[in-house]
Amino acid sequence: MRKDVLKIVVIGHVDHGKSTLIGRLLLDTDSLPDEKITEIKRICKELGKETELAYLVDQLKEEREHAITIDTTQIFFKTHRRNYVIIDAPGHVEFIKNMLTGASLAEAAILMIDVQEGVMEQTRRHAYLINFLGLNRVIVVFNKMDLIDYKKERFDKVKTELLKFLGNLKIKPFFLIPVSAKEGTNLSKKSQKMNWYKGPTLLKALDSLKLNTNIVKRPLRFPIQDIYEINGEKIIVGRIASGMVKQGQEVVLCPSFKGTRINSIRVFGKRNKTKAKAGESIGLTFNRPLFVKRGEVVAQKETPPKLTNRFKGNIFWMSDKPLYINKTITLRCAAQKVECGVEKIEKRIDPSRLETIQVNAKELKRNEIGIVVLKTKKMIVMERFNFIEELGRFILEQQNQVCAGGIITEKLLA
Amino acid sequence: MNYLDELENKTIYIIREAYARFRNMSLLWSIGKDSTSLLWIARKAFFGNIPFPVIHIDTSFKFKEIYEFRSKYGKEWNLNLIISKNKKALKEGISPEKGKFECCDALKTEALKQTLGEFNFKALLLAIRRDEHGIRAKERYFSPRGIDFKWNYKDQPAELWDLYKSQLEAEQHIRIHPMLHWTELDIWKYIRREKIPIVNLYFAKNGKRYRSIGCKTCCLPVDSNANTTRKIIKELEITKISERNGRAQDKENSYTMQKLRSLGYM
């Protein structure tokens, strides 16, 4: 029997209870070693505090002392339906790059909101960012219901406020669940205290989410990672980003469009492999020797990509040094690495207020989102994010530092 | 593709990314189950022959079974093995009795520093996993270290999707963690599926087995009758005792691991 695995990120404003929720889920799904619970109790005692579930998650010393999450972390639990990896992301604005690091690996998001406080700056920013990362499976959890006596009125009010905001982003949450992470209400079991709530518990809601598998049906894209020479033979290695590869298939190498045929598919320990699909790390040999280099993309002859050197995208700027238009920076997409410049910053957006700060801006500052037009110095293989994720996302680097992440929304004419 | 295949494919991808950027690299093999699995997958990534050296940090306090395993499979898998020892500290008589923190720091971290200095490796593959320890859960796949080896856990670089850090500042090396997303249970299921040879200390003898192995002086066996991979998997599916329970250094002080790691420990 095989269970699938779902990676979820927990996001929301600082102190809205993300780490507590995770601690509670671990406890309720019986995923904690006994000694861990004892250790947490002991540490809390040492620090002179009440036992705090969040400490399970907040492992770093500074985090315990200041009761905040600094970096992203991952924790495992399982239900009868499937296994889960929870990614806890920090709420503080200074640690936003850590939040993005965690969220970029997730397949679904739990957005937490404190019913007492309602929608806050970080709630908005995080919602904007997961939308920006292309995550569309979102469950909203309204926490701290115990502090408002489980009253439906307050829940409804915050729900309306949040839905209005999410509507602007075109995020449609799959579920909206009132909970108390501290008490454990509506996480694994329901409670009489909220009999007005007819929806599923959080665990039931999570179990009902379906994973995306249609990437195999897209056209073949095989970004070349490296070329190994083994016993005088050239083996082209990489991981299939989309589609399938078959022995004997006619392919082209992009951007050169040199054509060849797949002679063999190599996986160590497996003889006579005749096909492979998206997600597999394989080796290929070609029928005729070609000069090949890292970054090129193998595509099926009939469905080659349209090369581009100009595209529109959304980027999130993380560096202290601002992004200036027309300044040369490095773009990386799959195994491709090229010089590029931002031709235009159409909009400069403050992600917490969702406000456009400036139209046709000249620069983008730290923690701002830009809707930009990028121009690369060379033609490259790129796709819209919604079409082929791996070739639709990129990072920008400056002096060896990652400065931005982004997704491609539109390919433009050169 | 099943789940173990997914894990394996991602690990191969990361190993190949590392090699594509840092030809001058090495793999750290403690000869435990995780790094032996990493070694196994690295052999797959390079079609049988790992094109860079494999380091064993030898504190000289290891179990004899570990030394036997090293010599047998070092040959069988055609490894270019580097034995890393802090000879000076050993000569001075450092040992766990004189403080576990100091011992780990000198015989592991310091030994590694010396080897890295000697061979000038730019990248190191390590088999740490997120589920092992809360501090390790915070790691990146590509995690840079300064010249002093320090892990700046307060300000780690962003790591988006599978686009890993590719360039280093001079004087830096990078720790690469291709097994970060595996759990202890995944490892055992994989060992069983692939029939990976593993040090026999993991299998129960007279009602005891080791769940995690390192130095003889600092590891205690757990109660268990699991003497096959199948039984170990069964045991882990229901256990409520954590993996490193038998390891000394985690327990002494709640922050020891964080302190050791920030200084460059594995």
Side-chain angles (χ1 to χ4, degrees), chain A residues 5 30 32-35 59 61-63 71 73-74 97-98 101 104 225-226 228 239 281-282 294 332 337 400, chain B residues 3 9 13 16-17 21 23 46 130 134 137-138 140 154-156 159 161-162 164-165 167 240 242 245 255 258:
Chain A
V5 177
D30 217 19
L32 282 174
D34 294 336
E35 76 209 40
Q59 277 281 347
K61 192 176 174 193
E62 282 86 355
E63 295 180 341
D71 209 316
T73 188
Q74 294 197 11
K97 65 178 168 37
N98 299 337
T101 296
S104 75
Q225 266 187 297
D226 212 339
Y228 299 157
R239 187 176 58 181
S281 284
I282 55 165
R294 176 177 159 92
R332 288 173 49 203
K337 186 174 179 180
N400 301 337
Chain B
Y3 183 55
N9 277 298
Y13 179 82
R16 287 177 175 166
E17 276 302 278
R21 287 152 196 198
R23 285 299 206 239
F46 301 107
R130 287 197 181 105
K138 307 264 179 188
R140 302 287 191 257
K154 286 186 212 165
D155 186 23
Q156 301 196 66
E159 189 167 76
W161 305 294
D162 298 330
Y164 305 113
K165 194 169 172 63
Q167 297 285 321
K240 295 211 71 188
S242 77
N245 183 279
Y255 302 131
Q258 178 175 349

Short mmCIF file of all heavy atoms in Angstrom, two decimals, chain A residues 5 30 32-35 59 61-63 71 73-74 97-98 101 104 225-226 228 239 281-282 294 332 337 400, chain B residues 3 9 13 16-17 21 23 46 130 134 137-138 140 154-156 159 161-162 164-165 167 240 242 245 255 258:
data_model
loop_
_atom_site.label_atom_id
_atom_site.label_comp_id
_atom_site.label_asym_id
_atom_site.label_seq_id
_atom_site.Cartn_x
_atom_site.Cartn_y
_atom_site.Cartn_z
N VAL A 5 2.05 11.90 -0.15
CA VAL A 5 2.58 12.85 0.82
C VAL A 5 2.19 14.24 0.37
O VAL A 5 2.34 14.58 -0.79
CB VAL A 5 4.11 12.75 0.90
CG1 VAL A 5 4.67 13.79 1.85
CG2 VAL A 5 4.54 11.37 1.34
N ASP A 30 -0.75 11.86 17.30
CA ASP A 30 0.13 10.93 17.99
C ASP A 30 1.48 10.82 17.29
O ASP A 30 2.03 9.74 17.15
CB ASP A 30 -0.56 9.55 18.02
CG ASP A 30 -0.28 8.85 19.32
OD1 ASP A 30 0.09 9.54 20.28
OD2 ASP A 30 -0.43 7.62 19.37
N LEU A 32 4.26 12.46 18.17
CA LEU A 32 5.38 12.95 18.98
C LEU A 32 5.99 11.86 19.86
O LEU A 32 5.28 11.13 20.53
CB LEU A 32 4.90 14.05 19.92
CG LEU A 32 4.70 15.41 19.30
CD1 LEU A 32 4.10 16.33 20.33
CD2 LEU A 32 6.03 15.96 18.81
N PRO A 33 7.31 11.79 19.86
CA PRO A 33 7.96 10.89 20.80
C PRO A 33 7.68 11.36 22.23
O PRO A 33 7.65 12.56 22.48
CB PRO A 33 9.44 11.04 20.48
CG PRO A 33 9.52 11.73 19.17
CD PRO A 33 8.27 12.52 19.02
N ASP A 34 7.48 10.42 23.14
CA ASP A 34 7.19 10.78 24.54
C ASP A 34 8.24 11.71 25.13
O ASP A 34 7.94 12.67 25.81
CB ASP A 34 7.13 9.51 25.40
CG ASP A 34 5.94 8.65 25.02
OD1 ASP A 34 4.97 9.20 24.46
OD2 ASP A 34 6.01 7.42 25.24
N GLU A 35 9.51 11.39 24.81
CA GLU A 35 10.58 12.17 25.43
C GLU A 35 10.57 13.62 24.95
O GLU A 35 11.03 14.51 25.64
CB GLU A 35 11.93 11.52 25.14
CG GLU A 35 12.39 11.79 23.73
CD GLU A 35 13.27 10.72 23.15
OE1 GLU A 35 13.00 9.53 23.39
OE2 GLU A 35 14.21 11.08 22.45
N GLN A 59 12.61 25.50 17.57
CA GLN A 59 13.76 24.82 18.13
C GLN A 59 14.94 25.72 18.44
O GLN A 59 15.71 25.45 19.32
CB GLN A 59 14.23 23.74 17.16
CG GLN A 59 13.46 22.46 17.27
CD GLN A 59 13.90 21.62 18.44
OE1 GLN A 59 14.93 21.86 19.04
NE2 GLN A 59 13.12 20.61 18.75
N LYS A 61 17.31 28.42 19.82
CA LYS A 61 17.33 29.03 21.14
C LYS A 61 16.70 30.43 21.14
O LYS A 61 15.86 30.74 21.97
CB LYS A 61 18.78 29.10 21.61
CG LYS A 61 18.92 29.46 23.05
CD LYS A 61 20.40 29.42 23.43
CE LYS A 61 20.56 29.91 24.85
NZ LYS A 61 21.94 30.18 25.16
N GLU A 62 17.12 31.23 20.20
CA GLU A 62 16.58 32.60 20.13
C GLU A 62 15.07 32.58 20.00
O GLU A 62 14.38 33.45 20.49
CB GLU A 62 17.14 33.38 18.94
CG GLU A 62 18.54 33.90 19.13
CD GLU A 62 19.58 32.87 18.75
OE1 GLU A 62 19.19 31.73 18.43
OE2 GLU A 62 20.77 33.18 18.79
N GLU A 63 14.60 31.57 19.28
CA GLU A 63 13.17 31.51 19.04
C GLU A 63 12.41 31.24 20.32
O GLU A 63 11.35 31.80 20.56
CB GLU A 63 12.85 30.44 18.00
CG GLU A 63 13.42 30.77 16.65
CD GLU A 63 13.12 29.71 15.61
OE1 GLU A 63 12.78 28.58 15.97
OE2 GLU A 63 13.21 30.05 14.44
N ASP A 71 13.21 30.88 11.46
CA ASP A 71 13.41 30.24 10.17
C ASP A 71 12.33 29.20 9.92
O ASP A 71 11.63 28.78 10.83
CB ASP A 71 14.80 29.61 10.08
CG ASP A 71 15.30 29.60 8.64
OD1 ASP A 71 14.50 29.26 7.75
OD2 ASP A 71 16.46 29.93 8.41
N THR A 73 10.81 25.59 9.15
CA THR A 73 11.17 24.27 9.64
C THR A 73 10.18 23.27 9.06
O THR A 73 9.15 23.65 8.53
CB THR A 73 11.18 24.25 11.18
OG1 THR A 73 11.71 23.02 11.62
CG2 THR A 73 9.81 24.42 11.76
N GLN A 74 10.51 21.99 9.15
CA GLN A 74 9.59 20.99 8.60
C GLN A 74 9.35 19.89 9.60
O GLN A 74 10.26 19.45 10.28
CB GLN A 74 10.16 20.40 7.31
CG GLN A 74 10.23 21.44 6.23
CD GLN A 74 10.39 20.85 4.86
OE1 GLN A 74 10.27 19.65 4.65
NE2 GLN A 74 10.65 21.71 3.89
N LYS A 97 12.22 36.10 3.68
CA LYS A 97 12.89 35.20 2.73
C LYS A 97 12.83 33.76 3.22
O LYS A 97 12.78 32.83 2.44
CB LYS A 97 14.31 35.65 2.42
CG LYS A 97 15.28 35.62 3.58
CD LYS A 97 16.64 36.05 3.06
CE LYS A 97 17.70 36.35 4.07
NZ LYS A 97 17.85 35.63 5.28
N ASN A 98 12.81 33.60 4.55
CA ASN A 98 12.68 32.25 5.11
C ASN A 98 11.27 31.71 4.88
O ASN A 98 11.08 30.53 4.63
CB ASN A 98 13.00 32.26 6.59
CG ASN A 98 14.43 32.70 6.86
OD1 ASN A 98 15.28 32.59 5.99
ND2 ASN A 98 14.68 33.22 8.05
N THR A 101 11.17 30.61 1.32
CA THR A 101 11.91 29.36 1.19
C THR A 101 11.02 28.17 1.55
O THR A 101 10.95 27.18 0.83
CB THR A 101 13.16 29.38 2.11
OG1 THR A 101 14.02 30.43 1.66
CG2 THR A 101 13.91 28.07 2.08
N SER A 104 7.89 27.87 -0.95
CA SER A 104 8.13 27.47 -2.34
C SER A 104 8.14 25.95 -2.50
O SER A 104 8.05 25.44 -3.60
CB SER A 104 9.44 28.07 -2.86
OG SER A 104 10.56 27.40 -2.33
N GLN A 225 21.22 19.04 -17.01
CA GLN A 225 21.97 19.44 -15.81
C GLN A 225 23.46 19.34 -16.03
O GLN A 225 24.23 20.16 -15.55
CB GLN A 225 21.63 18.47 -14.66
CG GLN A 225 20.52 18.90 -13.75
CD GLN A 225 20.41 17.94 -12.57
OE1 GLN A 225 20.13 16.76 -12.75
NE2 GLN A 225 20.64 18.44 -11.38
N ASP A 226 23.88 18.28 -16.72
CA ASP A 226 25.30 18.01 -16.81
C ASP A 226 25.55 16.97 -17.90
O ASP A 226 24.61 16.31 -18.35
CB ASP A 226 25.81 17.47 -15.45
CG ASP A 226 27.25 17.85 -15.15
OD1 ASP A 226 27.98 18.19 -16.11
OD2 ASP A 226 27.63 17.82 -13.97
N TYR A 228 28.11 13.73 -18.51
CA TYR A 228 29.14 12.85 -17.94
C TYR A 228 29.76 12.04 -19.06
O TYR A 228 29.07 11.56 -19.95
CB TYR A 228 28.54 11.89 -16.90
CG TYR A 228 27.88 12.55 -15.72
CD1 TYR A 228 26.91 11.87 -14.98
CD2 TYR A 228 28.22 13.86 -15.33
CE1 TYR A 228 26.30 12.47 -13.89
CE2 TYR A 228 27.61 14.45 -14.24
CZ TYR A 228 26.65 13.75 -13.53
OH TYR A 228 26.04 14.35 -12.45
N ARG A 239 16.68 16.06 -14.96
CA ARG A 239 15.40 15.58 -14.46
C ARG A 239 14.31 16.10 -15.40
O ARG A 239 14.31 17.28 -15.77
CB ARG A 239 15.16 16.10 -13.05
CG ARG A 239 13.92 15.50 -12.40
CD ARG A 239 13.78 15.97 -10.98
NE ARG A 239 13.71 17.42 -10.91
CZ ARG A 239 13.60 18.11 -9.78
NH1 ARG A 239 13.56 17.48 -8.63
NH2 ARG A 239 13.53 19.40 -9.80
N SER A 281 14.88 11.51 -12.54
CA SER A 281 16.27 11.92 -12.81
C SER A 281 16.92 10.81 -13.62
O SER A 281 17.08 9.70 -13.12
CB SER A 281 17.03 12.10 -11.50
OG SER A 281 16.67 13.30 -10.88
N ILE A 282 17.26 11.12 -14.86
CA ILE A 282 17.74 10.07 -15.76
C ILE A 282 18.99 10.51 -16.51
O ILE A 282 19.44 11.65 -16.39
CB ILE A 282 16.65 9.70 -16.80
CG1 ILE A 282 16.21 10.97 -17.56
CG2 ILE A 282 15.45 9.05 -16.14
CD1 ILE A 282 15.44 10.69 -18.82
N ARG A 294 25.22 22.31 -20.39
CA ARG A 294 24.26 22.51 -19.31
C ARG A 294 23.36 23.69 -19.63
O ARG A 294 23.81 24.72 -20.13
CB ARG A 294 25.02 22.78 -18.00
CG ARG A 294 24.11 23.10 -16.82
CD ARG A 294 24.90 23.30 -15.54
NE ARG A 294 24.14 24.08 -14.56
CZ ARG A 294 23.34 23.56 -13.63
NH1 ARG A 294 23.22 22.25 -13.54
NH2 ARG A 294 22.67 24.32 -12.80
N ARG A 332 18.22 32.91 -13.36
CA ARG A 332 18.33 31.46 -13.44
C ARG A 332 16.96 30.83 -13.50
O ARG A 332 16.07 31.17 -12.73
CB ARG A 332 19.10 30.92 -12.23
CG ARG A 332 20.60 31.24 -12.29
CD ARG A 332 21.31 30.85 -11.03
NE ARG A 332 20.97 29.49 -10.65
CZ ARG A 332 21.08 29.02 -9.42
NH1 ARG A 332 21.51 29.79 -8.45
NH2 ARG A 332 20.74 27.78 -9.14
N LYS A 337 21.20 29.81 -17.11
CA LYS A 337 21.71 30.96 -16.37
C LYS A 337 22.09 32.01 -17.41
O LYS A 337 22.95 31.77 -18.25
CB LYS A 337 22.93 30.52 -15.57
CG LYS A 337 23.48 31.56 -14.65
CD LYS A 337 24.60 30.95 -13.82
CE LYS A 337 25.19 31.99 -12.89
NZ LYS A 337 26.26 31.44 -12.07
N ASN A 400 26.26 37.04 -6.43
CA ASN A 400 26.12 35.72 -5.84
C ASN A 400 24.99 35.58 -4.81
O ASN A 400 24.88 34.56 -4.16
CB ASN A 400 27.42 35.26 -5.16
CG ASN A 400 28.57 35.22 -6.13
OD1 ASN A 400 28.34 35.11 -7.33
ND2 ASN A 400 29.77 35.30 -5.61
N TYR B 3 6.42 6.96 -3.74
CA TYR B 3 7.01 7.97 -2.88
C TYR B 3 8.53 7.82 -2.73
O TYR B 3 9.28 8.80 -2.79
CB TYR B 3 6.32 7.92 -1.51
CG TYR B 3 6.82 8.97 -0.57
CD1 TYR B 3 6.79 10.32 -0.94
CD2 TYR B 3 7.31 8.64 0.68
CE1 TYR B 3 7.26 11.30 -0.09
CE2 TYR B 3 7.78 9.62 1.55
CZ TYR B 3 7.75 10.94 1.16
OH TYR B 3 8.21 11.91 2.00
N ASN B 9 14.67 10.41 -6.66
CA ASN B 9 14.88 11.28 -7.82
C ASN B 9 15.29 12.69 -7.43
O ASN B 9 16.11 13.31 -8.08
CB ASN B 9 13.61 11.32 -8.68
CG ASN B 9 13.54 10.13 -9.62
OD1 ASN B 9 14.40 9.96 -10.48
ND2 ASN B 9 12.54 9.29 -9.45
N TYR B 13 18.84 14.50 -8.20
CA TYR B 13 18.85 15.84 -8.81
C TYR B 13 19.77 16.78 -8.03
O TYR B 13 20.58 17.50 -8.61
CB TYR B 13 17.42 16.40 -8.83
CG TYR B 13 17.34 17.79 -9.42
CD1 TYR B 13 17.30 17.97 -10.80
CD2 TYR B 13 17.32 18.92 -8.61
CE1 TYR B 13 17.25 19.24 -11.36
CE2 TYR B 13 17.26 20.19 -9.15
CZ TYR B 13 17.22 20.35 -10.53
OH TYR B 13 17.18 21.61 -11.06
N ARG B 16 23.49 15.90 -8.42
CA ARG B 16 23.99 16.31 -9.74
C ARG B 16 24.11 17.83 -9.85
O ARG B 16 25.03 18.33 -10.50
CB ARG B 16 23.08 15.75 -10.83
CG ARG B 16 23.26 14.25 -11.03
CD ARG B 16 22.30 13.71 -12.07
NE ARG B 16 22.55 12.29 -12.33
CZ ARG B 16 21.69 11.51 -12.98
NH1 ARG B 16 20.54 11.99 -13.43
NH2 ARG B 16 21.99 10.25 -13.19
N GLU B 17 23.18 18.56 -9.22
CA GLU B 17 23.30 20.02 -9.19
C GLU B 17 24.59 20.42 -8.49
O GLU B 17 25.30 21.31 -8.94
CB GLU B 17 22.11 20.65 -8.44
CG GLU B 17 20.87 20.87 -9.26
CD GLU B 17 21.10 21.73 -10.48
OE1 GLU B 17 21.10 22.96 -10.37
OE2 GLU B 17 21.29 21.15 -11.57
N ARG B 21 28.14 22.28 -10.27
CA ARG B 21 28.69 23.59 -9.90
C ARG B 21 30.01 23.52 -9.18
O ARG B 21 30.82 24.42 -9.26
CB ARG B 21 27.71 24.29 -8.98
CG ARG B 21 26.53 24.77 -9.77
CD ARG B 21 25.36 24.82 -8.90
NE ARG B 21 24.16 24.89 -9.70
CZ ARG B 21 23.02 25.30 -9.21
NH1 ARG B 21 22.96 25.67 -7.96
NH2 ARG B 21 21.98 25.34 -9.97
N ARG B 23 32.84 20.99 -8.88
CA ARG B 23 33.49 19.72 -9.20
C ARG B 23 34.37 19.26 -8.03
O ARG B 23 34.49 18.08 -7.75
CB ARG B 23 34.35 19.84 -10.47
CG ARG B 23 33.56 19.90 -11.79
CD ARG B 23 32.74 18.66 -12.02
NE ARG B 23 32.45 18.35 -13.42
CZ ARG B 23 31.21 18.23 -13.93
NH1 ARG B 23 30.14 18.48 -13.19
NH2 ARG B 23 31.03 17.87 -15.17
N PHE B 46 25.89 8.77 -10.51
CA PHE B 46 27.06 8.77 -11.41
C PHE B 46 27.26 7.39 -12.05
O PHE B 46 28.38 7.03 -12.40
CB PHE B 46 28.30 9.23 -10.64
CG PHE B 46 28.14 10.61 -10.06
CD1 PHE B 46 27.96 10.79 -8.70
CD2 PHE B 46 28.13 11.72 -10.89
CE1 PHE B 46 27.78 12.05 -8.17
CE2 PHE B 46 27.95 13.00 -10.36
CZ PHE B 46 27.77 13.17 -9.00
N ARG B 130 15.79 16.35 8.05
CA ARG B 130 15.02 17.32 8.84
C ARG B 130 14.33 16.69 10.04
O ARG B 130 14.13 17.33 11.05
CB ARG B 130 13.94 17.98 7.98
CG ARG B 130 14.50 18.96 7.00
CD ARG B 130 13.38 19.87 6.51
NE ARG B 130 13.91 20.81 5.54
CZ ARG B 130 13.72 20.71 4.24
NH1 ARG B 130 12.99 19.73 3.75
NH2 ARG B 130 14.23 21.60 3.43
N GLY B 134 15.25 19.08 15.64
CA GLY B 134 14.62 20.36 15.31
C GLY B 134 15.56 21.36 14.67
O GLY B 134 15.18 22.13 13.80
N ALA B 137 16.12 20.60 11.09
CA ALA B 137 14.94 20.89 10.26
C ALA B 137 15.00 22.28 9.64
O ALA B 137 14.33 22.57 8.67
CB ALA B 137 13.67 20.75 11.10
N LYS B 138 15.82 23.13 10.22
CA LYS B 138 15.90 24.50 9.71
C LYS B 138 16.89 24.65 8.57
O LYS B 138 17.09 25.74 8.06
CB LYS B 138 16.34 25.44 10.85
CG LYS B 138 15.52 25.34 12.10
CD LYS B 138 14.45 26.39 12.13
CE LYS B 138 13.63 26.25 13.40
NZ LYS B 138 12.47 27.13 13.38
N ARG B 140 19.00 24.37 4.99
CA ARG B 140 18.76 24.48 3.56
C ARG B 140 19.37 23.27 2.87
O ARG B 140 20.24 22.61 3.43
CB ARG B 140 19.43 25.74 3.00
CG ARG B 140 19.00 27.03 3.65
CD ARG B 140 17.61 27.42 3.21
NE ARG B 140 17.29 28.78 3.63
CZ ARG B 140 16.50 29.08 4.66
NH1 ARG B 140 15.94 28.12 5.36
NH2 ARG B 140 16.26 30.34 4.95
N LYS B 154 20.93 32.48 11.76
CA LYS B 154 20.01 33.62 11.89
C LYS B 154 19.79 34.32 10.56
O LYS B 154 18.85 35.07 10.42
CB LYS B 154 20.58 34.62 12.88
CG LYS B 154 20.48 34.16 14.31
CD LYS B 154 20.94 35.25 15.24
CE LYS B 154 21.58 34.64 16.46
NZ LYS B 154 22.34 35.62 17.20
N ASP B 155 20.70 34.10 9.63
CA ASP B 155 20.54 34.78 8.36
C ASP B 155 20.90 33.85 7.21
O ASP B 155 21.92 34.00 6.56
CB ASP B 155 21.42 36.05 8.34
CG ASP B 155 21.16 36.88 7.09
OD1 ASP B 155 20.07 36.74 6.51
OD2 ASP B 155 22.06 37.64 6.69
N GLN B 156 20.06 32.87 6.99
CA GLN B 156 20.33 31.93 5.92
C GLN B 156 19.81 32.48 4.60
O GLN B 156 18.83 33.20 4.56
CB GLN B 156 19.61 30.60 6.21
CG GLN B 156 20.03 29.96 7.51
CD GLN B 156 19.61 28.51 7.54
OE1 GLN B 156 20.10 27.71 6.78
NE2 GLN B 156 18.69 28.18 8.42
N GLU B 159 16.08 30.07 -0.39
CA GLU B 159 16.26 28.93 -1.29
C GLU B 159 14.89 28.65 -1.93
O GLU B 159 14.01 28.10 -1.28
CB GLU B 159 16.76 27.72 -0.50
CG GLU B 159 17.17 26.56 -1.35
CD GLU B 159 17.94 25.53 -0.53
OE1 GLU B 159 17.29 24.78 0.23
OE2 GLU B 159 19.17 25.47 -0.64
N TRP B 161 12.30 27.05 -4.61
CA TRP B 161 12.08 25.87 -5.45
C TRP B 161 13.33 25.01 -5.50
O TRP B 161 13.93 24.76 -4.47
CB TRP B 161 11.62 26.31 -6.85
CG TRP B 161 10.43 27.20 -6.79
CD1 TRP B 161 9.18 26.85 -6.36
CD2 TRP B 161 10.35 28.60 -7.13
NE1 TRP B 161 8.34 27.94 -6.43
CE2 TRP B 161 9.02 29.01 -6.90
CE3 TRP B 161 11.27 29.53 -7.61
CZ2 TRP B 161 8.59 30.31 -7.13
CZ3 TRP B 161 10.85 30.82 -7.85
CH2 TRP B 161 9.52 31.21 -7.61
N ASP B 162 13.73 24.60 -6.73
CA ASP B 162 14.95 23.78 -6.84
C ASP B 162 16.11 24.61 -7.36
O ASP B 162 17.06 24.07 -7.93
CB ASP B 162 14.72 22.61 -7.80
CG ASP B 162 13.62 21.69 -7.31
OD1 ASP B 162 13.45 21.59 -6.09
OD2 ASP B 162 12.94 21.10 -8.15
N TYR B 164 19.08 26.24 -6.46
CA TYR B 164 19.99 26.30 -5.32
C TYR B 164 21.12 27.29 -5.53
O TYR B 164 21.46 27.62 -6.65
CB TYR B 164 20.54 24.91 -5.03
CG TYR B 164 19.46 23.88 -4.83
CD1 TYR B 164 19.28 22.84 -5.74
CD2 TYR B 164 18.58 23.99 -3.75
CE1 TYR B 164 18.25 21.92 -5.57
CE2 TYR B 164 17.57 23.06 -3.57
CZ TYR B 164 17.41 22.04 -4.49
OH TYR B 164 16.40 21.13 -4.32
N LYS B 165 21.71 27.68 -4.42
CA LYS B 165 22.84 28.61 -4.47
C LYS B 165 23.94 28.03 -5.33
O LYS B 165 24.31 26.87 -5.19
CB LYS B 165 23.33 28.84 -3.03
CG LYS B 165 24.25 30.01 -2.88
CD LYS B 165 24.46 30.31 -1.41
CE LYS B 165 25.54 31.36 -1.23
NZ LYS B 165 25.21 32.66 -1.83
N GLN B 167 26.94 30.06 -6.40
CA GLN B 167 28.23 30.73 -6.31
C GLN B 167 28.59 30.94 -4.85
O GLN B 167 27.71 31.16 -4.02
CB GLN B 167 28.15 32.10 -6.98
CG GLN B 167 27.85 32.06 -8.45
CD GLN B 167 29.05 31.63 -9.26
OE1 GLN B 167 30.17 32.02 -8.98
NE2 GLN B 167 28.81 30.81 -10.27
N LYS B 240 7.43 5.45 19.91
CA LYS B 240 7.26 6.81 20.38
C LYS B 240 8.55 7.32 21.02
O LYS B 240 8.56 8.28 21.76
CB LYS B 240 6.08 6.90 21.37
CG LYS B 240 4.76 6.59 20.69
CD LYS B 240 3.60 7.33 21.30
CE LYS B 240 3.65 8.81 21.00
NZ LYS B 240 2.65 9.56 21.75
N SER B 242 12.31 8.81 20.22
CA SER B 242 12.93 9.44 19.07
C SER B 242 14.26 8.79 18.73
O SER B 242 14.88 8.11 19.54
CB SER B 242 13.08 10.94 19.28
OG SER B 242 14.16 11.18 20.13
N ASN B 245 17.61 9.20 20.65
CA ASN B 245 17.48 8.94 22.07
C ASN B 245 18.75 8.34 22.66
O ASN B 245 19.14 8.65 23.78
CB ASN B 245 16.30 7.99 22.27
CG ASN B 245 16.03 7.72 23.72
OD1 ASN B 245 16.70 6.88 24.32
ND2 ASN B 245 15.09 8.43 24.30
N TYR B 255 20.53 23.05 24.33
CA TYR B 255 21.05 23.86 23.23
C TYR B 255 22.39 23.37 22.70
O TYR B 255 22.99 23.99 21.85
CB TYR B 255 21.18 25.32 23.68
CG TYR B 255 19.87 25.90 24.13
CD1 TYR B 255 19.76 26.59 25.32
CD2 TYR B 255 18.72 25.73 23.34
CE1 TYR B 255 18.54 27.10 25.73
CE2 TYR B 255 17.50 26.23 23.75
CZ TYR B 255 17.42 26.92 24.95
OH TYR B 255 16.22 27.42 25.35
N GLN B 258 22.47 22.91 18.91
CA GLN B 258 22.47 24.19 18.21
C GLN B 258 23.85 24.84 18.27
O GLN B 258 24.35 25.38 17.29
CB GLN B 258 21.42 25.12 18.82
CG GLN B 258 21.41 26.49 18.16
CD GLN B 258 20.29 27.35 18.69
OE1 GLN B 258 19.41 26.88 19.39
NE2 GLN B 258 20.30 28.61 18.35
#
